[in-house]
Amino acid sequence: MDPASQDINLNSPNKGLVVDNSDSLSDVPVEGAVGNAANPLPPGLTEEEAEELRTELTKVEEEINTLRQVLSAKERHATELKRKLGLSPLNELKQNLSKSWQDVQTSNAYLRTTEKLGEWNERVTSSDLYKKTQETLSQAGQKTSAALTTVGTVISKRLGDMRNSATFKSFEDKVGNLKYKVVGPKGNGEAVTSPTDTTPTQENPPF
């Protein structure tokens, strides 16, 4: 008889009887069995291989955390350097936009678009419709310039005829007479002398 399975409690009514604990022990789960049931291994993967993969995964996660800490420290250091150099976020934004525009200009899509626009421009300028339109505009400009020149010539000629007309000369004489009456001979450049300014001259002054 197994002493471990015998009830040794002196006050127990089952004193001396054998206790069967096989059923209770069979219900206790073994450590690790639950984990295997919850996360079964993929087909073809042994327990040793799974343990190696878990160890490698732990190392990789630790390296990721270390790299994050290093990156955070580098970013703080870069921010401090920018502050000392006087690089504000606005200047940094302008530099990023300028660099982005340069990247766009050197991109294949931008170059292809520029080539297409050049080809379309060449086709338009070499078409008959464009040439006819350009000739029409040129002729219209020449006609407009000639018309303006003719109008200016006509106006100048009519002004000259008007100045030479008898009516204009009569009006000009009247204006001159009115000016003479209002201003007097002084306005015409003639010197005006007063009686007090004139002194009699003696031909033979006595000595």
Side-chain angles (χ1 to χ4, degrees):
M1 182 181 297
D2 188 3
S5 62
Q6 184 179 4
D7 191 358
I8 60 175
N9 190 357
L10 298 178
N11 297 323
S12 174
N14 299 323
K15 179 177 63 175
L17 298 179
V18 177
V19 179
D20 189 6
N21 295 326
S22 60
D23 295 337
S24 60
L25 293 177
S26 62
D27 296 335
V28 177
V30 180
E31 184 179 358
V34 176
N36 293 334
N39 297 316
L41 297 178
L45 185 66
T46 63
E47 184 65 29
E48 291 78 7
E49 293 174 348
E51 188 63 26
E52 292 179 359
L53 293 176
R54 293 190 192 99
T55 304
E56 185 177 357
L57 177 60
T58 303
K59 292 181 180 180
V60 171
E61 289 178 346
E62 291 177 353
E63 292 177 356
I64 291 175
N65 292 330
T66 303
L67 291 175
R68 285 176 179 173
Q69 295 176 359
V70 173
L71 179 60
S72 178
K74 292 291 184 181
E75 288 178 348
R76 289 195 298 269
H77 185 57
T79 303
E80 184 66 19
L81 293 176
K82 290 178 182 179
R83 185 186 64 80
K84 292 180 179 180
L85 291 172
L87 298 176
S88 63
L90 181 59
N91 293 334
E92 189 174 359
L93 178 61
K94 291 180 180 179
Q95 292 178 359
N96 292 335
L97 290 176
S98 178
K99 185 177 182 302
S100 299
W101 176 241
Q102 291 178 357
D103 294 340
V104 169
Q105 289 180 330
T106 56
S107 63
N108 294 329
Y110 181 85
L111 295 176
R112 286 196 298 268
T113 304
T114 304
E115 292 177 357
K116 287 293 182 182
L117 291 176
E119 293 176 359
W120 291 344
N121 185 34
E122 186 177 358
R123 291 177 182 176
V124 170
T125 53
S126 59
S127 63
D128 296 335
L129 179 61
Y130 179 83
K131 292 180 179 179
K132 291 180 180 179
T133 304
Q134 191 175 16
E135 291 177 357
T136 302
L137 292 176
S138 177
Q139 293 175 1
Q142 293 176 358
K143 291 179 180 179
T144 303
S145 178
L148 292 176
T149 303
T150 303
V151 171
T153 303
V154 172
I155 292 174
S156 299
K157 184 176 182 301
R158 290 186 177 180
L159 287 176
D161 295 340
M162 186 184 295
R163 289 180 63 86
N164 295 326
S165 65
T167 304
F168 186 84
K169 288 183 177 180
S170 176
F171 176 76
E172 192 175 25
D173 293 339
K174 290 180 180 179
V175 172
N177 293 332
L178 181 61
K179 181 180 178 182
Y180 180 81
K181 292 179 180 179
V182 174
V183 179
K186 187 176 182 180
N188 295 329
E190 297 178 357
V192 179
T193 59
S194 62
T196 58
D197 294 337
T198 57
T199 55
T201 57
Q202 298 179 1
E203 294 180 356
N204 298 317
F207 292 98

